């Protein structure tokens, strides 16, 4: 019997991720051009040509609690989503491994270079290449359906897969995230995003004891897709 095609592998994993694992977003990136930037040994990453990007929705019911700062409800939800994503990535990696291929799940939220605030790899960059969303003015990915209301995890693999294409910048004349940012870190172009001011604000939120991690959520809440029934009323 012949090996399944890249498209068949893609459809199999997508169906497993969305229908069985309960994920909301699925895409595949060719990571050969960016794997040199991963904070992993080159002998290890050279085995992996594909990055599978998996996303889980941030609930509107939780974001509704945010007014001008992150809350404990949001902090707990953030950690629950990371935990859900880590488990889903492990299950998908196990599914791939059982078919005789390598799969490496990367933690949803684990800083390994504190000075530069970097993880083993950028889930956002892989999500962008995998067509999950475009890089918005708020420096987050914007998915056409969910806006920025999702979190991501990545599974690296050598299982041959069809790859997705990035989505072009489509913020258009929307500036909702700019209007809610308390430190005006969000500018007209994503490349002008003021990382320093944003990070200083996240530090302030944490130092005030509001939450235990560097999170905010205000520009996540502001960025929503067309089908957002709560905000469209
Ligand atoms: S995370 Fe908060 S401080 Fe940073 S850009 Fe978004 S709204 Fe502004
Ligand atoms: S809120 Fe609007 S401008 Fe901001 S990232 Fe989302 S779509 Fe782009």
């Amino acid at each position: 019997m012949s090996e399944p095609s890249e498209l068949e592998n893609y459809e199999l994993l997508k169906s497993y991720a969305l229908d069985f694992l309960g994920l909301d977003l699925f895409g595949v990136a060719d990571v050969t051009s960016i794997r040199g930037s991963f904070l992993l040994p080159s002998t290890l990453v050279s085995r992996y040509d594909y990055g599978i990007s998996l996303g889980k929705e941030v609930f509107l019911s939780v974001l509704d609690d945010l007014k001008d700062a992150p809350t404990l409800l949001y902090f707990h939800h953030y950690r629950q989503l990371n935990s859900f994503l880590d488990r889903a990535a492990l299950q998908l990696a196990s599914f791939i491994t059982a078919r005789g291929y390598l799969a490496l799940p990367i933690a949803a939220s684990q800083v390994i270079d504190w000075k530069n605030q970097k993880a083993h790899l950028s889930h956002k960059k892989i999500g962008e290449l995998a067509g999950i969303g475009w890089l918005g003015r708020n420096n987050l990915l914007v998915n056409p359906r969910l806006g920025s209301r999702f979190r991501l995890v990545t599974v690296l693999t050598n299982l041959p897969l069809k790859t997705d294409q990035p989505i072009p910048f489509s913020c258009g004349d929307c500036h909702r995230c700019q209007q809610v940012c308390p430190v005006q870190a969000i500018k007209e172009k994503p490349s002008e995003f003021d990382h320093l001011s944003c990070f200083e604000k996240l530090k302030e939120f944490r130092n005030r004891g509001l939450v235990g991690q560097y999170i905010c959520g205000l520009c996540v809440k502001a960025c929503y897709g067309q089908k957002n029934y709560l905000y469209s009323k």
Side-chain angles (χ1 to χ4, degrees), residues 136-138 142 171 174-177 222-223:
R137 291 196 170 96
N138 59 4
V142 184
C171 286
C174 170
H175 294 85
R176 283 187 298 261
C177 54
C223 185

Side-chain angles (χ1 to χ4, degrees), residues 3-4 9 48 93-103 157-160:
E3 285 281 306
N9 285 335
Y48 301 103
S94 186
F95 189 76
I96 295 170
T97 305
R99 279 154 183 78
Y101 289 88
L102 292 171
T157 186
N158 65 351
L159 173 69

Side-chain angles (χ1 to χ4, degrees), residues 189-207:
K189 296 183 191 159
S191 59
E192 297 166 346
F193 183 81
D194 184 348
H195 295 266
L196 202 60
S197 296
C198 171
F199 189 56
E200 286 303 315
K201 192 66 188 175
L202 305 198
K203 275 203 280 192
E204 185 207 309
F205 285 144
R206 202 185 80 150
N207 293 343

Side-chain angles (χ1 to χ4, degrees), residues 146-184:
L146 293 177
S148 293
R149 294 182 299 101
F150 60 91
R151 290 201 51 75
L152 289 175
V153 74
T154 304
V155 176
L156 299 176
T157 186
N158 65 351
L159 173 69
L161 291 166
K162 172 189 98 79
T163 53
D164 291 290
Q165 294 304 311
I167 305 175
F169 178 77
S170 307
C171 286
D173 57 7
C174 170
H175 294 85
R176 283 187 298 261
C177 54
Q178 270 183 300
Q179 288 152 12
V180 301
C181 177
V183 289
Q184 291 79 50

